[in-house]
Amino acid sequence: MITFSVTDKMQLTYPIFYIMFIIMVASCVFQVKFLNQATKLYNTTTVVPVNHIFFTTSAITAGIIFYQEFLGAAFLTVFIYLFGCFLSFLGVFLVTRNREKEHLQQSYIDLGNIPGKQMLDKIQPDSNSLSYGTLPDGSDSTKSQSGEKKEV
């Protein structure tokens, strides 16, 4: 679109330009947010190579599908292109292969931070509890404070 705007037709007059621009900005924002969350769980030596490989693979796939990059290309051209991508991925693997395995300090999904989720303090009694249907103060869990039976 930029090339067309500079050489021939101004692309700002077409609505597809604005749709693509909004999609591009939203994609950048979500990718930064995703990478920020990933670096909280994993080390950057894990996050950055994985992001590089997935981004490169998706860009290649999008180019093949949408722009038909390999349509009419010779086999050698396609092979050299894909071999270059393979060398890039191999370089990422070689750079990151000798790092030590890390163990997560927290669970992958923190159930305490789900918006709108109500946390019930203790659904199951402690293993040292003698009776199953009582609260820690000894009262029956099916009775309300006024003494009426509640449906559970």
Side-chain angles (χ1 to χ4, degrees):
M1 290 184 171
I2 293 172
T3 305
F4 278 134
S5 293
V6 171
T7 59
D8 191 31
K9 290 185 171 182
M10 182 58 73
Q11 296 296 306
L12 297 176
T13 59
Y14 297 103
I16 190 69
F17 174 81
Y18 297 103
I19 293 170
M20 294 298 291
F21 184 76
I22 291 170
I23 291 172
M24 181 185 66
V25 169
S27 174
C28 291
V29 168
F30 285 122
Q31 186 174 11
V32 168
K33 184 177 179 182
F34 176 75
L35 287 174
N36 189 23
Q37 290 175 350
T39 55
K40 288 180 183 177
L41 289 174
Y42 298 101
N43 195 350
T44 54
T45 58
T46 303
V47 173
V48 172
V50 169
N51 181 53
H52 170 73
I53 289 174
F54 279 123
F55 178 78
T56 305
T57 304
S58 65
I60 291 168
T61 305
I64 291 171
I65 293 170
F66 293 119
Y67 302 117
Q68 300 176 354
E69 288 180 341
F70 296 147
L71 188 64
F75 174 76
L76 184 60
T77 304
V78 174
F79 177 77
I80 289 174
Y81 184 80
L82 295 176
F83 185 68
C85 295
F86 169 75
L87 286 179
S88 175
F89 298 156
L90 180 66
V92 169
F93 171 75
L94 292 175
V95 166
T96 60
R97 72 180 170 149
N98 290 331
R99 60 184 162 74
E100 27 180 279
K101 300 283 182 189
E102 66 180 277
H103 301 285
L104 293 177
Q105 307 250 339
Q106 61 184 354
S107 64
Y108 182 71
I109 298 174
D110 185 9
L111 295 177
N113 291 330
I114 297 175
K117 182 178 182 308
Q118 295 177 354
M119 294 296 292
L120 301 173
D121 190 25
K122 287 196 174 189
I123 296 173
Q124 295 293 328
D126 294 332
S127 60
N128 59 3
S129 175
L130 295 177
S131 64
Y132 182 72
T134 61
L135 295 174
D137 64 355
S139 64
D140 189 357
S141 64
T142 60
K143 290 184 182 178
S144 66
Q145 291 179 355
S146 65
E148 298 174 349
K149 276 275 198 189
K150 293 191 301 184
E151 290 186 29
V152 180

